[in-house]
Each structure stands twice: as structure tokens, then as C-alpha cells.
Amino acid sequence: MLTAIEIEKITHELQQVPVKKAACIEALKIVQQQRRWISDESVEDIAAMLEMSTAEVDSVATFYNLIFRRPVGRHIILLCDSISCYVMGFTALRQQLQSLLHINYGQTTTDERFTLLPNACLGTCDHAPALMIDEDLYRDVKPEDLEKILEKYS
Amino acid sequence: MERPLTQHIPDSGAALHIREYEAVGGYTALKKVLREMEPAQVTTLVKDSKLKGRGGAGFDTGMKWSFVPMDMPGPKYLIANADEMEPGTFKDRWLLEGNPHQLLEGMIIAAYAIQATDAFVFLRWAYKDAAREMRRAIADAYTAGYLGKNILGSSFSLEMQLHTGVGRYMCGEETALLNSLEGKRATPRAKPPFPQVSGLFGKPTIVNNVETLSWISHIVNNGGAWFKSLSYTADGGTKIYGVSGRVNKPGAWELPMGITMRELLEEHAGGMRNGYRFRGALPGGASTDFLTEVHLDVKMDFAGVTAAGSRLGTGTMVVLDDHTCPVGFVHNLEHFFAQESCGFCTPCREGLPWTEKILWSLENGTGVPADLDLLEMHTKMLGPGNTFCALAPGAMEPLQSALKYFREDFEQHIKEKKCPYAHHQH
Ligand SMILES: Cc1cc2nc3c(=O)[nH]c(=O)nc-3n(C[C@H](O)[C@H](O)[C@H](O)COP(=O)(O)O)c2cc1C
Ligand code: SF4
Ligand code: FES
């Protein structure tokens, strides 16, 4: 069931577009903002509201890197794994993150605090290697900085 | 040396506020256009300046605008492509975060030229600071009467929306971007019809890069001859160049179009870091061919880089040093392209993961001589004309040039059955 807030926000989006389907990505964003991820049930609810088939909504939901179709933690770590960060040593960051959090790419810590994901170029290649946690960008990161950075997120 | 696009961006990188922008002449070009110019005159002015798109392909901007059927009734759209997800590319971020009104003013003038009714900034999700600044800039522009109904008392009206994406490299390809804006998967569309005729929701649509649109107010204020005079070569204007990798001062700089690779590397990027030697560079982001030491005097404009066998692309260079494995470097790139392939056409969907796998086996010491032939085959099978969009051919550019310039490295991996580089990374 979509919440009243979700319905209100999606209705607002529907007013901005000429056909209902065009609000699909926005609707997914809205629901994900409220629940952190998109469950099968959410896909069905959005489909019903936008008069689309669930398969159609799912095909959009699974296409985009930042729509999560599985549960994620409270904080998302996006580690840049693209070329400038490769040259400048993101591998060491990945190893350090994996050993601090005891998780691999795509996994969530048992306390649901963090999910670790690789991410394409964050557009800050002159300050590589870089990573993002939720809305915060960290640049020129060294493995030894990571412990302090992670402490900021509860 | 003039730096029209970036001169007013504060050193802190913080965004120029609307009042500060106006104080340095911001929005005077818009006023001039609305008072004194017909839409067609604006297009002609941009055409005469020979401004070429800064999004990668270098297509003539005024020419693109002139394909819009002006007598078509109904809405028309203008879109700023602010997706910037090409690895190694970080130039638009500077303009978006530092001078959002310069982009908005360019967009409003461009929208006037094609008589667009609605404009969108298609911004990638990861650019949180840019999103905040753009949102504020759009609100301020509405309040000041530069957007909305009857702009500055003229008969021209324009609505502007910020759209933030949900992450996919393909969203930057202009027809895939349109599908994404329509709420769909970001797969490309067949051309023709071109977006200029049938774009967003089937209506005439212009998609331009952020750096391209940031030029428009300056060209209106100063004219095409001035624009050309900023450059060292036939392609007018300045260019935002960037260098990343093991150089002393990685960064981005606005410099005259046509500056040499050597000058960029040595004077602006401060040369290679101590203990590292230059082996090559992708001159314009992940989907361009390597250039090497013999190309250091190549002029970094569209024609110059093309003549050297690569592309200017986004003008942001990624440097390969002698401690980094060229095979690992290319493997990283192909991993990106394989992941970001939209999967719509078979050669790309199947060929890129195959390419990635072969490179991975070379790195792991299990490669065989026939692998090099397979890689060569892929550079042809996924080359121009065989796939639906430019992602796959773009993916083949660094690979084909690496096979040419760093052949001995590939062969050494096979012979020694391991990656010969100490800094073995994946
Ligand atoms: C896979 C792919 C990704 C692209 N990504 C971008 C991008 O992020 N930003 C951009 O401006 N152009 C990008 N382009 C180029 C656009 O399709 C288009 O040519 C450009 O936005 C046109 O703007 P311009 O004429 O001002 O250069 C991409 C092209 C391809 C094939
Ligand atoms: S070349 Fe690749 S990205 Fe382009 S349409 Fe084909 S599958 Fe999609
Ligand atoms: S390659 Fe990591 S920020 Fe660009």
C-alpha cells in the first residue's frame, strides 16, 4: 500500500507530465526515498497508480543503477571504480572498506548500517580516488581515512 | 588570455549568486535578444560563430538548431545534457556548481531561438551540490522574471524544470535521454527522425551539452568574430580541458581551443609525478583512442585530435603512466562499458562482456595468443555501423589503440602467464 505522502507526491508528479507513464521514474524515486528500496509490492502499487503493467514498471526499476530492488542499509557507500580512480588506487579503498565492514560489493552489513556498491565515475577524477556516502562526496581518499569517515554514519 | 566561461566562478568553487551574476553582466544578453532579435537571428548568430557542441561529438550547434521546424504547432523542448557520466570527465560539474545562471541564461536564449515552451536540465544523480545550486538558480530566475510567462515583458514564455537521473551512462546519449525523461528505460531511438524534428513526446527537441549552452550569452554579447578570436585554431572559443591520473596537479582549466597536449600536461597539470613516466593518454574521456608521446604536440581541437587518430571527445584527458598496466587499464574501461551497455542490440550486449572476460584472463595469466585476434575481431564487430548507438564503438576506441601502441604488454601477459606490473589492480 502506498502511503498518503507517497500518493500525494506521485499525484503532484502526474500533473507535470502529459502521459501517466512518464512519471514512472519519479514515482520509483519517491517510494524509494520513503522506504530505501523498491519491493515487489511497491512495483505493483506504482503500476496500479500509473495504469501500467507490473512488468513494465519492473523493467524501468531494474534498468537504473540507483533504484534498489533489494533491501539496502541506512547508508549507501558508492565507491568509484572508474578509470581515474583505478589509476589512483581505488582497489586499496575497496579492500579497506571490505575489511572494515566485513562485506563484499552488493552486500549490507548485518546491523543494516551500510550497503557497499561500486559506482561509475563520480565526476571528480582530478581528486581520485573518490567515494560518496549518501549525499556526501569524499575526494582524494586514502585507505587510512576510511575508519574516521565511516564513524560519521550511525 | 580570456576565460569567459569560468572567470567569474569564485576560487572557492561556490556558485555565483544571481545578483553577483547580474553585476558582471549576467542576463544582459537575454535582454538584448528579447528586445532586439528575431529567433532566427539568434540561430544565425550561433551558426556564424561556428560553435561546436562540447558534449563529445562536436556537431555544429547553430546548424542543429536550424533543423527545428519552426512552423510546427504545439510544444517544443530544450534540454541541457548534464548527465556527465563518461569516466575521466569532470568539466560540466565545474560550470554547474560554479555558474548555474550562465547555463540558465544560455538555455533561455536557446529556447527563444527555437521557440521552445519548456526546458529541462537533465542532471545526473551524483551531482548533489549542482542539484542544490541549479534548484536555487531556477527559483531565483523565476523570481527575477527571467523564466515563466512573458519573460521581461516580452511575448516569450518558458517553463524550466530540473530533472535528476537515477544513474545510467546511457542517459547521456541524447535519444536515450529523451526516453528516460519520458519515464522509460534509457535505450536509444532510431534516427531519423532526429530529435530536432521528433524528440521528447514526439515534439521538436534540442539537446545540448552544459558547456555548449554556457557559451550562448557570451556569443550574443560579443559576436562570432570574438568567439573565433579566443582560439588558437579554426575551432572557435576556449575549451574546458582536464587532466587526471599521476600528474602533479590534476585539474580542469579553461584554455584557448587548440592548445597542445604537451602544454596541458606540462604547464597546467605540472608534469608527471616523480618516479612516473608518461606512456599515453585518452585525450577526451573513456571512449577515445590513446595518444602517446609522439602525439604530445598535437593541437587539442576537433580536427587536430582526429588527425592524430583519436577524438577530442569531452577534452578531459586520462593519463596512463608506466607503473599502471595498460591491459588492466583497458580492462577497467571495458568493465564500465559492459556494465553500462543498455543491452538493446546483440553485438554490444554480448561483445562487451566477452571483451571484458578476455582482458580479465590476460590479467590473470590465463590468456592465450589467439585472445589478441579475438580482441581485434571485437574492435571491428563492435565498431561504427554495427551497433545501434555510439556506446559500443566508443568502447572499442581505447581497446583498438591499446592493441596498437601497447602490444608488447599484451604479449608479455601471455608469455609470462601473469600481469608484469607490480601495482596489479583490478
Ligand atoms: C553513451 C553516450 C553517452 C553520452 N553522454 C553524454 C553526456 O553525459 N553529456 C553530454 O553532453 N553528451 C553526452 N553524449 C553525447 C550526446 O549524445 C549528444 O551528442 C550531446 O549531448 C549533444 O550536445 P552538444 O551538441 O552540445 O555537444 C553521450 C553519447 C553517448 C553515445
Ligand atoms: S550499442 Fe550498446 S548501448 Fe548502444 S543500443 Fe546497442 S546495446 Fe545499447
Ligand atoms: S574516475 Fe572516479 S571520479 Fe572519475
Side-chain angles (χ1 to χ4, degrees):
Chain A
M1 275 266 287
L2 296 175
T3 62
I5 293 178
E6 288 165 342
I7 291 172
E8 188 197 316
K9 288 190 167 180
I10 296 172
T11 306
H12 175 78
E13 286 305 322
L14 284 171
Q15 286 155 4
Q16 321 288 316
V17 288
V19 289
K20 283 190 170 179
K21 274 184 191 187
C24 184
I25 294 172
E26 290 305 317
L28 289 163
K29 273 172 30 186
I30 288 164
V31 174
Q32 182 163 295
Q33 213 174 38
Q34 307 292 323
R35 310 173 184 222
R36 289 195 256 158
W37 70 293
I38 303 290
S39 65
D40 289 347
E41 195 202 338
S42 297
V43 168
E44 283 168 24
D45 294 342
I46 291 170
M49 193 166 168
L50 268 48
E51 293 168 22
M52 295 168 73
S53 72
T54 50
E56 240 179 323
V57 173
D58 199 32
S59 80
V60 175
T62 51
F63 186 83
Y64 292 97
N65 299 337
L66 297 162
I67 296 293
F68 306 128
R69 283 289 274 113
R70 277 194 286 163
V72 292
R74 292 192 294 283
H75 306 287
I76 308 282
I77 304 175
L78 297 174
L79 178 64
C80 175
D81 67 351
S82 293
I83 193 60
S84 309
C85 291
Y86 168 83
V87 172
M88 302 309 286
F90 89 84
T91 318
L93 296 186
R94 188 188 66 194
Q95 283 160 355
Q96 181 71 2
L97 278 171
Q98 287 174 341
S99 76
L100 285 171
L101 300 172
H102 307 290
I103 51 171
N104 223 320
Y105 275 160
Q107 297 179 334
T108 301
T109 52
T110 44
D111 58 1
E112 288 185 30
R113 201 165 140 219
F114 293 109
T115 298
L116 176 62
L117 298 170
N119 193 76
C121 180
L122 289 164
T124 188
C125 328
D126 52 339
H127 291 283
L131 59 89
M132 244 180 120
I133 304 184
D134 302 337
E135 309 247 317
D136 311 324
L137 178 68
Y138 295 93
R139 319 195 300 174
D140 301 305
V141 185
K142 292 180 206 64
E144 57 270 28
D145 302 337
L146 286 169
E147 206 167 342
K148 264 231 152 60
I149 291 175
L150 294 182
E151 276 170 17
K152 292 191 223 167
Y153 302 87
S154 54
Chain B
M1 210 149 57
E2 287 183 80
R3 299 193 293 122
L5 297 184
T6 57
Q7 65 176 333
H8 299 303
I9 297 178
D11 282 340
S12 65
L16 209 63
H17 185 262
I18 189 164
R19 296 282 164 253
E20 297 165 323
Y21 181 65
E22 287 169 329
V24 294
Y27 289 110
T28 51
L30 176 64
K31 289 174 189 154
K32 178 174 165 184
V33 163
L34 292 178
R35 273 195 215 117
E36 301 168 19
M37 295 173 81
E38 292 295 319
Q41 282 178 291
V42 181
T43 300
T44 304
L45 177 67
V46 173
K47 216 169 165 178
D48 290 345
S49 77
K50 296 254 185 327
L51 168 65
K52 287 183 174 168
R54 284 4 185 186
F59 193 78
D60 191 296
T61 305
M63 178 101 79
K64 192 192 256 186
W65 296 3
S66 71
F67 296 148
V68 172
M70 294 301 290
D71 48 4
M72 199 131 125
K76 294 195 194 78
Y77 300 108
L78 179 98
I79 301 167
N81 190 344
D83 197 51
E84 192 159 69
M85 238 177 108
E86 171 107 347
T89 299
F90 50 100
K91 67 182 183 70
D92 293 338
R93 178 173 210 140
W94 191 14
L95 295 172
L96 287 159
E97 290 178 0
N99 203 345
H101 283 285
Q102 176 173 257
L103 171 62
L104 288 186
E105 186 178 10
M107 289 178 73
I108 304 166
I109 296 170
Y112 176 78
I114 63 160
Q115 292 289 291
T117 45
D118 296 86
F120 299 85
V121 178
F122 192 104
L123 182 70
R124 75 172 290 193
W125 178 91
Y127 283 9
K128 300 289 181 192
D129 294 338
R132 194 185 56 240
E133 296 308 336
M134 284 312 310
R135 210 166 276 129
R136 180 169 80 157
I138 291 171
D140 288 349
Y142 267 106
T143 309
Y146 300 130
L147 282 171
K149 293 252 168 304
N150 302 106
I151 296 173
L152 299 172
S154 73
S155 59
F156 179 63
S157 303
L158 181 71
E159 300 300 328
M160 175 87 66
Q161 278 184 42
L162 175 70
H163 175 94
T164 50
V166 269
R168 210 53 208 253
Y169 175 54
M170 275 304 290
C171 292
E173 197 280 336
E174 64 178 2
T175 61
L177 183 153
L178 299 175
N179 278 339
S180 191
L181 256 188
E182 291 183 11
K184 302 174 187 157
R185 290 165 80 98
T187 50
R189 296 178 181 176
K191 293 190 265 191
F194 287 89
Q196 295 92 300
V197 179
S198 175
L200 190 63
F201 300 111
K203 302 296 176 190
T205 304
I206 289 290
V207 181
N208 274 134
N209 172 258
V210 167
E211 189 182 352
T212 313
L213 288 165
S214 295
W215 270 112
I216 304 303
S217 61
H218 301 285
I219 292 174
V220 167
N221 278 331
N222 304 298
W226 166 84
F227 178 75
K228 282 176 220 165
S229 78
L230 297 171
S231 156
Y232 289 156
T233 61
D235 295 327
T238 61
K239 177 77 194 76
I240 301 184
Y241 295 102
V243 179
S244 62
R246 284 196 171 113
V247 291
N248 284 314
K249 291 186 288 174
W253 315 274
E254 184 182 359
L255 297 163
M257 179 71 92
I259 197 154
T260 64
M261 216 161 121
R262 188 187 300 283
E263 216 176 322
L264 264 181
L265 276 169
E266 286 172 9
E267 287 180 30
H268 300 282
M272 295 304 289
R273 286 198 189 177
N274 214 351
Y276 294 95
R277 205 169 56 78
F278 176 86
R279 280 202 80 194
L282 308 176
S287 57
T288 59
D289 286 86
F290 278 101
L291 294 180
T292 63
E293 250 173 329
V294 302
H295 300 112
L296 284 174
D297 293 311
V298 163
K299 289 187 168 59
M300 292 277 287
D301 68 357
F302 292 101
V305 183
T306 302
S310 187
R311 289 189 306 118
L312 180 64
T314 62
T316 41
M317 190 188 299
V318 187
V319 171
L320 170 72
D321 59 80
D322 63 341
H323 287 49
T324 301
C325 175
V327 178
F329 190 106
V330 178
H331 173 260
N332 176 277
L333 294 170
E334 300 311 332
H335 169 73
F336 165 79
F337 287 115
Q339 284 225 318
E340 293 298 323
S341 162
C342 79
F344 186 73
C345 61
T346 312
C348 174
R349 183 185 61 243
E350 303 291 324
L352 286 176
W354 190 356
T355 309
E356 185 192 347
K357 241 187 193 150
I358 298 170
L359 291 164
W360 179 236
S361 68
L362 289 172
E363 278 287 88
N364 269 328
T366 54
V368 293
D371 285 343
L372 301 190
D373 301 328
L374 275 177
L375 289 173
E376 294 280 5
M377 179 195 82
H378 277 101
T379 63
K380 303 207 167 58
M381 302 282 272
L382 303 189
N386 294 335
T387 60
F388 204 72
C389 85
L391 182 137
M396 290 302 108
E397 291 182 20
L399 176 62
Q400 70 193 11
S401 49
L403 285 167
K404 186 162 85 188
Y405 297 125
F406 310 119
R407 187 108 199 160
E408 70 280 17
D409 285 290
F410 286 81
E411 288 165 352
Q412 207 180 342
H413 279 75
I414 297 168
K415 216 182 303 151
E416 295 180 11
K417 297 200 186 324
K418 67 174 170 60
C419 175
Y421 287 78
H423 298 254
H424 184 101
Q425 330 175 297
H426 297 294

